[in-house]
């Protein structure tokens, strides 16, 4: 399973599992998630169990002077023939009051090759500062212009959970991965029931279009199944990449604390 990309497998798994609105148009007074929330997933590659993913909403903290909730995704591969050893950690710094991200940190260890990437949103909201470093090499710094309200993929799969989802609803979020910008689009196609390890769940079947690139180029649209309750928990993700078919299935879930936060300003 050559789960390489320009920004790490954990970031992809986190993005597939957790998406947020980039527009901040919905009230976050009653967010669907909060600090302490944790979900475990079994990741299958070509029908075989290939690894696990864990996504946790951490305790409130300060990052670059901002009050944030760290959303931490850790992805690990199992020791199977044909699967590269992977241990990635991706942290997205989420501002609950504005439903934005202030940046992210990636620590990737894939096939014995380690690298780091840090993205920091600049105060103008229209540019980012990026630092990339491979093990044994000097860090490389760059800046890039982005659309105001741009998120990382994790940030773009968390405010969606805060939205009022309806069948036929369509949502679009600007995303920056550290190497490229694209618009992630989601459409709720249907309401159905799905058997999971947590029992039978009523879910929204949501079609997602993204442009990861490289071995993670999508051969078709992805599907994310979100529970129809207020938490909108992703319980299954299906993706058909150039490297092969990947499916993530929920195996355990712990809700976080309910925290009232200020509403984001519409269009702000």
């Amino acid at each position: 399973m050559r789960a390489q990309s320009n920004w790490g497998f954990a970031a992809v798994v986190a993005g597939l599992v957790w998406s947020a609105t980039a527009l901040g148009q919905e009230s976050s007074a009653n967010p669907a998630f909060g600090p302490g929330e944790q979900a475990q997933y079994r990741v299958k590659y070509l029908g075989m169990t290939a690894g696990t993913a864990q996504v946790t909403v951490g305790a409130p903290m300060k990052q670059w002077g901002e009050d944030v909730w760290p959303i931490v995704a850790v992805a690990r591969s199992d020791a199977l023939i044909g699967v590269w050893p992977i241990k990635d950690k991706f942290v997205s710094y989420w501002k609950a009051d504005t439903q934005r991200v202030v940046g992210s940190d990636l620590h990737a260890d894939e096939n014995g090759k380690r690298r780091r990437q840090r993205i920091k949103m600049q105060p103008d909201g229209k540019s980012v500062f990026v630092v990339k470093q491979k093990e044994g090499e000097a860090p490389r710094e760059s800046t890039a212009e982005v659309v105001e309200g741009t998120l990382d993929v994790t940030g773009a799969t968390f405010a969606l959970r805060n939205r009022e989802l309806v069948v036929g609803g369509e949502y679009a979020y600007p995303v920056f991965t550290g190497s490229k910008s694209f618009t992630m689009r989601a459409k709720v196609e249907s309401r159905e029931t799905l058997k999971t390890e947590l029992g039978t769940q009523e879910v929204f079947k949501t079609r997602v279009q993204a442009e990861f690139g490289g071995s993670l180029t999508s051969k078709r649209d992805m599907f994310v199944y979100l529970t129809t309750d207020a938490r909108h928990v992703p319980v299954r993700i299906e993706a058909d990449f150039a490297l092969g078919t990947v499916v993530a299935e929920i195996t355990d879930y712990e809700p976080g604390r309910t925290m009232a936060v200020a509403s984001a300003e519409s269009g702000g």
Side-chain angles (χ1 to χ4, degrees), residues 126-141:
K126 299 179 181 179
S127 61
V128 292
F129 177 64
V130 183
V131 180
K132 298 181 181 182
Q133 184 176 22
K134 294 181 179 179
E135 188 174 35
E137 299 182 8
R140 294 175 292 123
E141 300 179 351

Side-chain angles (χ1 to χ4, degrees), residues 6-7 105-109 113-119 130-142 178-179:
N6 292 326
W7 52 301
D105 279 310
L106 167 68
H107 299 264
D109 184 345
K113 297 180 180 180
R114 296 181 177 88
R115 57 195 171 85
R116 296 182 63 182
Q117 175 178 280
R118 165 165 281 187
I119 299 174
V130 183
V131 180
K132 298 181 181 182
Q133 184 176 22
K134 294 181 179 179
E135 188 174 35
E137 299 182 8
R140 294 175 292 123
E141 300 179 351
S142 63
S179 299

Side-chain angles (χ1 to χ4, degrees), residues 9 37 46 63 99-100 102 108 212 230 243 251 258 265:
F9 186 56
E37 183 182 65
L46 299 178
Q63 178 69 332
Q99 302 208 30
R100 298 284 195 270
V102 300
F212 296 122
L243 61 86
T251 58
T258 301
E265 293 181 1

